[in-house]
Amino acid sequence: MSETSPHPKFMEAMRKLSAMSEEERLSEENKELFEQAMKYAPLDIQPALIAIQKKYEVSVH
């Protein structure tokens, strides 16, 4: 199996998210964008995104 580049939807979401502060990334209005990044993330990046998502859930609730 050959190494493929990340999905364009993942790249778009990460580009937008990386331009934000952590607080903005974890905000309710950007949750959908973060979920898009999670959905299309390469397998090696998913654990880091899951950790961020857990932090989001703790900070909101």
Side-chain angles (χ1 to χ4, degrees):
M1 208 148 87
S2 67
E3 195 65 30
T4 58
S5 60
H7 194 283
K9 286 191 177 274
F10 169 75
M11 297 303 291
E12 174 193 355
M14 290 307 291
R15 183 174 37 77
K16 290 176 182 175
L17 289 167
S18 66
M20 299 174 190
S21 70
E22 183 173 322
E23 194 173 296
E24 287 174 308
R25 263 182 240 133
L26 299 179
S27 70
E28 192 62 36
E29 62 253 17
N30 291 314
K31 187 176 182 184
E32 206 172 287
L33 187 61
F34 192 84
E35 287 173 354
Q36 176 182 316
M38 289 275 298
K39 183 177 181 181
Y40 294 102
L43 290 176
D44 60 331
I45 295 172
Q46 284 179 357
L49 293 176
I50 290 167
I52 294 167
Q53 185 178 44
K54 284 181 183 171
K55 183 177 184 178
Y56 169 79
E57 289 169 357
V58 168
S59 69
V60 170
H61 300 288

